[in-house]
Amino acid sequence: MKEQNYLDNLVGVFGHPVAENPGVVIQEAAFRNLGLERWHFLTVDVEPGSLGDAIKGLKAMKMRGINCTIPHKIEVLKYLDKVAPSAKLIGAVNTIINENGTLTGENTDGKGFMIALESAGVNPAEKSVVVFGAGGASRAICVELALAGARKLTIVNIPKDSALAESLVRILKENTRVATEYVPWAGTFKIPADTDIVVNATSIGLYPNVTGKPDVDYDTITTRMYVQDVIPNPAFTPFLREADKRGVRWQSGMQMLINQAALNITMWTGLKPDKEVMRQALEAALA
Ligand code: NDP
């Protein structure tokens, strides 16, 4: 008789708001393609005050791992047993691996971003980069850019979050060789002419606020620049529309999302998923 094993392997995402997070589409497509019929990805709405309870639930249900998104990436650190060195430096975790009740935090956001840059033929070594935002995604991206040898990082963030931006600048100065500057975002930001790479790492433009656009003087974008958005949904944001109008090379947050989701799957299952299958599933869902 065939062995009967109906035990489900659960992974997923904790966030708030999270209903529009397309992680489930990408991950389920990858699981089915890998023949992992009893692996399932859950999209779970966890409000800010409930993260501790949600982590207890994760352990109780022996979930194999979880992604953390807005607003939990920094808060979640205090619930973990181990944190990978790069995630520690970033100060934010987007992926948790549960090995028999021991929780390890990793950060694949910045790594997914770097793979996206590479696929666009952009090498950040010795480049000058402007990054909007100082939250979880920004921290991951800035650390990876600094470790990859970027020459200069300008972090533009709204003044009410200056402590967040200042702590990021301090971490970069203490641990890497990049020249780093925090610019309080007060009024329309003019991108310095010597900038090579421009990154929107804020949540401005994310569904359902699809008309949101960072307060930037878009006429300061020149053709020497490469523009990258982190927003995966919608893929073509108002920020990218402005970049496109100026004839610069750009990439949406979609490929970054697929890259980091692929890394997550490998951390949870030990298997390498087919990114093309994941991309097609995401494009179909967002069409
Ligand atoms: P956080 O909440 O940690 O950070 C968001 C940042 O954006 C904060 O600095 C925030 O400031 C800033 N921000 C938000 N609204 C405004 C505004 N109107 N003006 C100026 N600054 C603003 O979120 P994350 O870093 O986790 O995520 C940011 C975005 O990145 C999300 O849209 C997420 O979907 C996307 N993302 C994409 C990934 C991908 O693979 N493509 C991976 C990870 C994230 P404040 O805190 O004051 O609001």
Side-chain angles (χ1 to χ4, degrees), residues 210-269:
V210 296
T211 57
K213 191 165 71 174
D215 189 4
V216 172
D217 178 352
Y218 289 95
D219 285 331
T220 57
I221 294 179
T222 64
T223 47
R224 80 191 294 271
M225 299 176 192
Y226 168 81
V227 175
Q228 174 79 49
D229 206 338
V230 297
I231 306 286
N233 180 25
F236 197 33
T237 56
F239 174 74
L240 291 180
R241 279 176 209 279
E242 295 290 353
D244 191 54
K245 271 192 237 166
R246 271 86 186 168
V248 299
R249 288 176 308 137
W250 56 265
Q251 194 174 186
S252 81
M254 189 186 269
Q255 198 55 44
M256 177 182 159
L257 184 71
I258 291 164
N259 295 337
Q260 61 104 343
L263 291 169
N264 296 341
I265 288 176
T266 302
M267 287 173 182
W268 290 329
T269 68

Side-chain angles (χ1 to χ4, degrees), residues 76-285:
V76 77
L77 280 162
K78 67 180 178 218
Y79 300 110
L80 305 177
D81 302 297
K82 292 188 235 166
V83 180
S86 67
K88 209 174 266 178
L89 199 55
I90 291 162
V93 155
N94 79 322
T95 303
I96 297 169
I97 302 118
N98 182 10
E99 283 162 315
N100 305 316
T102 299
L103 303 187
T104 302
E106 286 273 3
N107 196 309
T108 56
D109 283 340
K111 292 181 173 67
F113 170 86
M114 296 302 285
I115 296 169
L117 275 194
E118 197 185 332
S119 70
V122 178
N123 179 354
E126 294 305 321
K127 297 288 188 326
S128 177
V129 189
V130 168
V131 180
F132 297 111
S138 168
R139 298 175 89 84
I141 288 167
C142 289
V143 166
E144 296 292 352
L145 284 169
L147 294 176
R151 178 172 54 81
K152 188 177 167 200
L153 271 178
T154 303
I155 299 159
V156 186
N157 200 51
I158 47 178
K160 82 168 165 113
D161 275 345
S162 56
L164 204 58
E166 279 159 6
S167 77
L168 175 56
V169 168
R170 196 173 52 249
I171 287 164
L172 291 169
K173 282 188 173 155
E174 283 171 5
N175 296 283
T176 74
R177 295 210 308 248
V178 73
T180 317
E181 183 191 16
Y182 158 52
V183 177
W185 201 348
T188 306
F189 182 79
K190 290 184 190 305
I191 300 168
D194 67 346
T195 304
D196 301 294
I197 301 170
V198 182
V199 184
N200 173 35
T202 73
S203 46
I204 305 170
L206 183 66
Y207 186 95
N209 302 314
V210 296
T211 57
K213 191 165 71 174
D215 189 4
V216 172
D217 178 352
Y218 289 95
D219 285 331
T220 57
I221 294 179
T222 64
T223 47
R224 80 191 294 271
M225 299 176 192
Y226 168 81
V227 175
Q228 174 79 49
D229 206 338
V230 297
I231 306 286
N233 180 25
F236 197 33
T237 56
F239 174 74
L240 291 180
R241 279 176 209 279
E242 295 290 353
D244 191 54
K245 271 192 237 166
R246 271 86 186 168
V248 299
R249 288 176 308 137
W250 56 265
Q251 194 174 186
S252 81
M254 189 186 269
Q255 198 55 44
M256 177 182 159
L257 184 71
I258 291 164
N259 295 337
Q260 61 104 343
L263 291 169
N264 296 341
I265 288 176
T266 302
M267 287 173 182
W268 290 329
T269 68
L271 301 174
K272 221 170 167 185
D274 183 333
K275 287 192 202 175
E276 184 53 24
V277 165
M278 298 164 83
R279 191 187 61 77
Q280 283 174 13
L282 183 60
E283 276 185 356

